Amino acid sequence: MKQTAQSLLMLGAAVLLLMARASAEAPNLDFAEYPIDGSFQGISCVYIADLDLDGDMDIVGGSEWTPWSSSIGIAWWRNEGGSPPTWTRFAVDASFRNVMSVEVAFIDKDLFPDIVATSWDFHQIAWFSHTGDPTSTWTKAAIESSFINAHDAECYDIDDDGHVDVVGINSTPGGIMVCYQTGADPPLWTTQDVTSAFDGGKSVDILDFDHDGDPDLVAAAADADQISWWENSGGQPIVWLQHDVTSSFNGSHDFDPGHINGDGLYDLIATAYLSGEVAYFTCDDLTADLWTQHTITSQLGIATKALGRDFDRDGDLDIVAVGKDPGHLLIYENDDFSWLADTLRMGYLGGWALACHDFDGDLRPDIVGGASALGTLSLWMNHSVSAATGETPRPAIQRLSNHPNPFMAATTISLLLPRRMHAELAIYDATGHLVKRLIDGELREGLNQVIWNGTDASGRSCGSGTFFSRLRMGKTVCTRALVRPR
């Protein structure tokens, strides 16, 4: 009897210990799913931007499924406001087949956001414009029409001439191409091959990877199992020097640059679809090309995309990742580099489309995800309590604002960043020409402010009129009108 009682006490203590451990290891995350669209078959990519310039963020998406009898192509969802937001879908181009990527950028000079997209089937990088009403007709123009199996495209003014350029990556045979805008109206393009030996190219990004003041390129290639970056060495044309991060990441598909270990160097969060891996690569020595791979999981079947965000507001990056088959959407919470998995959706067949944005201004990143086989697009609102303070974050100010507006002598532009990150802030005139670049660098988390006194880059007064401040933070673009009366 005594032995039995003692055994029960030991069992009870063990249960309490297990409960304590489970409580300690339980993720501090609380997400609620809100459907956006349940009938967009083949959704493969999403991009978040204020497409209609009404002050809130909309969603652009593309479909990798394009049945010959009923094309789906590219569409956008207008944010109708509310908490959670409601959405209305509008077509952009239903005939653009097998869409692999979409991005929003200001390509021409009309100050209305344009869409840049890639088509695997058409072998194209193309851009789509409208004349002021994004709910009506869009016009397509090709940037590059013989880019076999085009897979991704990113936009940036690489040569710093005031015109947005486009970098594309393709899968067959696998290469990276820079399409420079010449400044003509309508836009014309000249091309430069960065490499033609990057087999199975899947993803590309543009950022100042080595912090030397000019944009570099980072890319992933599935057939080569490779992630590499190309150093911008200057010159006309630019000389690109290749550096390898890894050549053994089986089916390397996508990556997200971020600061994981706090050393100031960019690290890479990446997915490999053949090995089902989600991993992050920390940079040990950039000049010596020394990197260390840290695998979080190798069980995410056909791992397609992962993003690093501080979902629990404890000061470090967590990771949201999605896989296609059998299809799972998960968050890996960073607990001092131990990763606690929290499942948002199981059976998320065809999961690929993934983006993050703080839709309700509470400084907690929300998640937009799409599953191509299910044809569904959803928003997961982040209601997590801060792991650092135990408090629910309060709603924040607008991401981009200025005061006073209208202004006479000067106006203070305020930008709210969800984390420490690279941001670009520039002023454009009403014709779309770059007036002055105010910020292009790393900024702290939270509120940042800069004063614009109405002068151009040479210090000359711009006079009166309507101007536009444009903020780019990673893949998020915000634009606001600034008015200077006579």
Side-chain angles (χ1 to χ4, degrees):
M1 187 70 161
K2 183 178 179 182
Q3 187 174 6
T4 303
Q6 193 173 27
S7 298
L8 287 172
L9 285 172
M10 292 177 64
L11 178 61
V15 169
L16 287 173
L17 179 59
L18 287 173
M19 289 175 63
R21 286 179 178 172
S23 175
E25 295 176 0
N28 300 297
L29 302 174
D30 179 15
F31 281 81
E33 181 181 359
Y34 300 95
I36 296 173
D37 196 320
S39 60
F40 196 74
Q41 292 297 321
I43 186 163
S44 55
C45 48
V46 290
Y47 192 94
I48 299 170
D50 185 4
L51 201 63
D52 55 4
L53 301 180
D54 66 350
D56 53 29
M57 304 303 279
D58 311 299
I59 300 170
V60 180
S63 169
E64 63 173 332
W65 286 12
T66 318
W68 296 105
S69 59
S70 58
S71 290
I72 299 170
I74 303 172
W76 73 283
W77 290 262
R78 185 173 66 192
N79 185 337
E80 307 290 4
S83 183
T86 57
W87 308 86
T88 303
R89 183 171 112 190
F90 298 93
V92 174
D93 189 328
S95 66
F96 199 61
R97 293 203 298 265
N98 300 110
V99 183
M100 297 287 103
S101 70
V102 289
E103 180 164 347
V104 173
F106 292 82
I107 299 297
D108 56 13
K109 298 179 174 60
D110 64 5
L111 288 176
F112 302 125
D114 308 302
I115 296 172
V116 174
T118 55
S119 168
W120 176 280
D121 194 49
F122 284 169
H123 313 306
Q124 277 189 353
I125 306 172
W127 69 286
F128 303 81
S129 62
H130 62 87
T131 57
D133 180 6
T135 68
S136 60
T137 303
W138 290 75
T139 301
K140 173 191 164 188
I143 296 173
E144 174 58 43
S145 294
S146 57
F147 202 47
I148 305 300
N149 299 147
H151 206 277
D152 192 17
E154 296 289 319
C155 304
Y156 191 90
D157 182 7
I158 291 178
D159 52 6
D160 199 27
D161 64 353
H163 308 295
V164 173
D165 310 306
V166 178
V167 176
I169 188 168
N170 69 342
S171 290
T172 307
I176 299 173
M177 174 186 290
V178 182
C179 303
Y180 295 100
Q181 194 179 159
T182 64
D185 189 13
L188 298 175
W189 308 85
T190 62
T191 61
Q192 177 192 21
D193 289 328
V194 176
T195 179
S196 57
F198 203 55
D199 296 343
K202 297 297 183 186
S203 304
V204 67
D205 204 354
I206 308 166
L207 72 161
D208 185 4
F209 205 63
D210 53 6
H211 300 287
D212 67 350
D214 51 31
D216 309 301
L217 309 178
V218 188
D223 296 345
D225 302 329
Q226 201 163 341
I227 300 175
S228 301
W229 72 281
W230 280 262
E231 178 184 355
N232 182 338
S233 297
Q236 291 184 342
I238 293 172
V239 176
W240 302 95
L241 302 178
Q242 182 174 348
H243 303 266
D244 293 335
V245 176
T246 180
S247 56
S248 59
F249 199 47
N250 193 10
S252 178
H253 191 265
D254 204 287
F255 59 88
D256 186 35
H259 298 287
I260 293 182
N261 59 5
D263 62 0
L265 299 175
Y266 277 111
D267 308 305
L268 295 172
I269 297 164
T271 52
Y273 68 76
L274 292 179
S275 58
E277 283 184 270
V278 178
Y280 62 97
F281 294 81
T282 53
C283 182
D284 303 317
D285 188 327
L286 191 63
T287 58
D289 297 327
L290 295 179
W291 295 79
T292 300
Q293 177 180 338
H294 310 264
T295 297
I296 296 172
T297 183
S298 57
Q299 304 299 316
L300 189 63
I302 312 185
T304 49
K305 196 171 184 69
L307 300 172
R309 302 289 187 271
D310 186 4
F311 292 109
D312 56 6
R313 303 289 298 146
D314 66 350
D316 54 29
L317 287 184
D318 310 299
I319 295 172
V320 58
V322 66
K324 268 191 159 185
D325 190 4
H328 300 314
L329 178 63
L330 306 99
I331 294 178
Y332 298 94
E333 186 181 358
N334 185 349
D335 182 14
D336 196 21
F337 299 100
S338 294
W339 300 90
L340 311 177
D342 186 42
T343 303
L344 296 181
R345 276 287 298 272
M346 301 288 284
Y348 204 52
L349 190 61
W352 182 1
L354 187 66
C356 294
H357 178 73
D358 174 16
F359 282 94
D360 53 4
D362 64 358
L363 294 181
R364 295 175 294 190
D366 308 306
I367 298 169
V368 173
S372 63
L374 302 179
T376 60
L377 178 67
S378 292
L379 168 65
W380 281 265
M381 295 293 288
N382 187 351
H383 302 303
S384 307
V385 173
S386 171
T389 65
E391 299 176 353
T392 301
R394 298 175 181 175
I397 64 169
Q398 273 188 312
R399 181 137 296 179
L400 176 64
S401 60
N402 71 290
H403 183 79
N405 193 26
F407 72 98
M408 293 299 292
T411 184
T412 298
I413 302 174
S414 300
L415 28 151
L416 186 71
L417 303 189
R419 65 188 186 281
R420 179 178 174 234
M421 64 190 305
H422 187 275
E424 303 159 37
L425 179 68
I427 303 295
Y428 292 80
D429 64 20
T431 67
H433 288 94
L434 176 67
V435 172
K436 191 173 188 178
R437 200 180 302 275
L438 299 179
I439 295 175
D440 188 359
E442 198 99 350
L443 295 182
R444 67 178 184 271
E445 175 187 344
L447 183 64
N448 295 264
Q449 293 182 315
V450 61
I451 295 174
W452 182 51
N453 61 0
T455 61
D456 64 13
S458 302
R460 297 188 297 260
S461 173
C462 297
S464 60
T466 300
F467 301 88
F468 294 84
S469 61
R470 185 181 305 160
L471 170 66
R472 175 172 175 150
M473 306 170 293
K475 294 183 180 296
T476 298
V477 179
C478 303
T479 302
R480 294 290 179 270
L482 314 175
V483 178
R484 194 181 196 192
R486 294 181 184 277

